[in-house]
Amino acid sequence: MTDSYKTYRRPHDLGTPEVTSDKSVTLTVDGKEVSVPKGTKVIRAAALAGINIPRLCASDSLEPFGSCRLCLVEIDGAKGLPASCTTEASEGMKVTTQNDRLADVRRNVMELYISDHPLDCLTCPTNGDCELQDMAGAVGLRDVRYGYAGENHLEAEKDKSNPYFTFDPSKCIVCSRCVRACEEVQGTFALTIDGRGFESKVAASQDQSFLDSECVSCGACVQACPTATLTENSLISKGQPEHTVITTCAYCGVGCSFRAEMKGEEVVRMIPNKDGKANHGHSCVKGRFAFGYATHKDRITKPMIRDSIHDPWKEVSWEEAMEFSAAKLKGIQSKYGTGSIGGITSSRCSNEETYLVQKLVRAGFGNNNVDTCARVCHSPTGYGLKSTLGESAGTQAFDSVLKSDAIMVIGANPTEAHPVFGSQMKRRLREGASLIVLDPRSIALVKSPHVTADYHLQLKPGTNVALINALAHVVLSEGLESKAYIEDRCEQDAYEDWRAFILDEINSPESMESVTGVPSGDIRAAARLFAAAPNGAIYYGLGVSEHSQGSTMVMGIANLAMATGNLGREGVGVNPLRGQNNVQGACDMGSFPHELPGYRHVSDEVTRTLFEKEWGVDLIPTPGFRIPNMFDAAVAGQFKGMYVQGEDVAQSDPDTHHVTAALTSLECMIVQDLFLNETAKFAHVFLPGSSFLEKNGTFTNAERRISPVRKVMEPLGGYEDWEVTQLLANAMGYPMDYSHPSEIMDEIARLTPTFKGVSYDKLDKLGAIQWPCNDEAVEGTPTMHVDEFVRGKGLFRLTPYVATDERTTRRYPLILTTGRILSQYNVGAQTRRTENMTWHDEDIIEIHPHDAEQRGIEQDDWVGIKSRAGETVLRADVTERVQPGVVYTTFHHPESGANVVTTDNSDWATNCPEYKVTAVQAYKVTQLSDWQQEFEEFTQEQLELLKKAKAPAQVI
Ligand code: SF4
Ligand code: SF4
Ligand code: SF4
Ligand code: FES
């Protein structure tokens, strides 16, 4: 099955982007008739007729530029030789692409390029994959008459500042493809062509090095470059790949499709797949470049066991590790009861793998104690959207944003956390869509090149619900609601109740101004702008869900979308920007303690019977423990064993003191991971995990798109993650016998109505599928709730604002809120083991100049951050990105201890932690916190114990 992906070729480039038009024109190219949509350029029309016109500055991912003059053609009745990349095809046009005259002109053009180009093809990194070389061949260049005696750029200095690519200006032909890629595809505008004529050259920002410039290392310019001027360092060091495998990025919920370009089992480079429906050939620095962690020296590739967390590790065979694990877990169950153990599935692993872990827990452990990291990120999305719209997932495909007229971004930072979608959104904003940002912090979207938010509603952390209610109040009180839509699509009684509630003066912008800190005039103007737009779309992130009222806010967002008629077609919708690569899939696959795959409650007898028949066991009809319940029960001595696959709860879950107390009290902690992560330091069994490069399976991204993950190398530990779960199940006495993940997907499809039509064969055929995929939607569902909501009529839910218990006081006067940055990913286990450390090697605390001055804090000072839960120390960044009274940090480095400070407050409906609001004090300090010093000692101890694993003789 994977072999069908194993072809190596440079994707065919049609010269200019696709044009959509109702009208078509028919022309003749070299005697061949071809019909194309009106507006198509001649070069593309020719390519569609199977005729490739030589070109250098044109590409079908960029708007035509017309600078290289290589694509000249003759057109009957036209003067001179027009450039085919800038000339529009017209009805009846007769084009000649090849004759002696054209060949001469092209050879002359090429001769000029080559006369200022180092002729070192044999040692050039792109030898064999160079468009300049190809074009020299295509035009039949045999001689260069001008020599190198005159002025040239051959000695121009290389810029090697970026850790992932090199800029060698001696090879630049100034075609501007890189500049256009940076502008059009990425939207960063970091590059320009400086100077004129012979002096023209590519410059990054103010003629700085790439590293010091505004460049965000997305690599779009490297991909666009037709020569070896911009080249991946991995290609320079390893040489040309020999085959490719199509797979899916394992970082964020955008789910970019990639061609892993391989030499044997070695990845030479990752090239974003032009046919990828989530990314259309684009990527960010993580997906394209940060794959080196997969073969990092820190990988643990042998199973290990120990009796106590203060014992040295002992490397053992897989058989011994499984016997040890099963004996421990069974022993715990016989001593403390069936419910004393549980498991955590991973949003980093595949659908098939998470499905298997929850199956092991329910069928093999005999309880429902299974949960996943969505508990701490988007569980309110599941609850809020299910109860209002009927389905726990985003409503649109990413491409939908290209049809939006007003875009509301709430508590999300797409350019940092979902960068490829961020670029797509910026493209639409540059085309003229309006932008409303609801965020306590001034995120990059608020003001970046050629993008400025119409309104930045800079609310106080924790007041989302107050603000969404105030926006809805304006819509209703000013008669801006979509009456026909509400009448047709929504439950009327619930709407009337909600209407009366929202229209209460307590929800007016004026009343809420003191709560949210947002001027009422801005709230009114933003609401009018959104309601008036033909297509209004809402995108939101963890700044919505990770609050004590996370679920309420999700319902508030759904209410606003229904009230303005913005659901059920392209360009609109409610779109959670889900964090991890497969967090959507982990939820879909039944990772929650109360739901079987497909979001069906465990108490539902019909569903349970279906699974009981397939799995051959009786299932428990009551929900099991959520992660916080597991920790509480562990501290109380009732929960004693855990199997954690690919999830670092010790670093990522709030209130670290509580989490470590829970983990320390376990009698058997089994961690399956790539590295000795923070959680593994509390483990008794370590099972080597496999990276996305070492496995087959599928990931489901934020737009419900199920995409293939394909193995490019054998698992370093010997098994793919699903195989390890299968070994454990068998050791526990619950038989599993899958021979390939496709069989697991077949089982999922048999048992889950929304996945009924999904199979590996169909994925191979279509590339990716958005669920629901079933008899009604054979090839999947890009837009949900089209004619009616999944639950039938949309349900308005009341959303009273309730202030969080986490109040500021004189003792804790500031609010700490958290977020991510582009170069690191979540707990950083992967990105910290790549060159991405160049950009962010420590978490820092952002503090407003006013708050810093009051405390005598200056840039780069050490700052103590103390909350009711704990204390940590970070370096200061004094900046106006945050408002007075708010401090902000990221959480990518374990020693930062961001979660030592966060409390165990959580969402009322789902227990999703309130990461975004912690009352703290900040003060200047000169040393690390007590926790950080203890952390350092514990880490050192654990690393010493790990070293001893390789020397079992000394251990015994
Ligand atoms: S890597 Fe991306 S951001 Fe940097 S210059 Fe190239 S296109 Fe622009
Ligand atoms: S760096 Fe490459 S893409 Fe950019 S102008 Fe030079 S040759 Fe063209
Ligand atoms: S945007 Fe997300 S999925 Fe795409 S390459 Fe970057 S990290 Fe990977
Ligand atoms: S490809 Fe048309 S002018 Fe360069």
Side-chain angles (χ1 to χ4, degrees), residues 378-387 391-393 540 554 578 599:
H378 267 290
S379 48
T381 288
Y383 182 89
L385 296 186
K386 179 109 184 168
S387 59
E391 191 55 272
S392 305
Y540 73 88
V554 174
R578 309 208 62 155
Y599 304 100

Side-chain angles (χ1 to χ4, degrees), residues 618-691:
D618 289 339
L619 295 173
I620 310 265
T622 48
F625 285 146
R626 297 170 173 182
I627 292 173
N629 307 137
M630 292 184 201
F631 293 153
D632 292 346
V635 171
Q638 294 148 3
F639 188 77
K640 290 289 182 184
M642 274 177 114
Y643 167 43
V644 181
Q645 184 182 73
E647 164 80 359
D648 195 358
V649 287
Q651 188 182 341
S652 61
D653 283 37
D655 198 353
T656 305
H657 291 302
H658 184 59
V659 174
T660 50
L663 298 183
T664 313
S665 68
L666 295 175
E667 290 181 12
C668 179
M669 165 61 107
I670 304 169
V671 167
Q672 182 178 343
D673 220 294
L674 304 181
F675 306 105
L676 190 84
N677 62 16
E678 299 314 307
T679 309
K681 291 173 187 164
F682 295 90
H684 306 92
V685 179
F686 186 93
L687 304 174
S690 47
S691 75

Side-chain angles (χ1 to χ4, degrees), residues 165 178 181-182 186 188 190-191 210 214-222:
F165 59 83
C178 53
C182 193
Q186 166 58 22
T188 293
L191 300 179
F210 269 83
E214 286 139 335
C215 167
V216 294
S217 297
C218 71
C221 56
V222 181

Side-chain angles (χ1 to χ4, degrees), residues 89 276 443 909:
I443 58 169

Side-chain angles (χ1 to χ4, degrees), residues 124-164:
C124 178
T126 62
N127 185 16
D129 185 25
C130 169
E131 292 182 46
L132 189 68
Q133 205 176 52
D134 292 352
M135 288 307 115
V139 304
L141 187 70
R142 297 290 170 261
D143 192 18
V144 178
R145 287 165 292 172
Y146 308 115
Y148 293 127
E151 263 194 302
N152 59 49
H153 298 89
L154 302 182
E155 300 304 322
E157 205 181 319
K158 288 181 187 170
D159 175 355
K160 296 185 175 180
S161 60
N162 189 291
Y164 292 121

Side-chain angles (χ1 to χ4, degrees), residues 55-58 66-69 71 85:
R55 87 289 297 263
L56 277 172
C57 69
S67 72
C68 77
R69 314 301 293 163
C71 69
C85 67

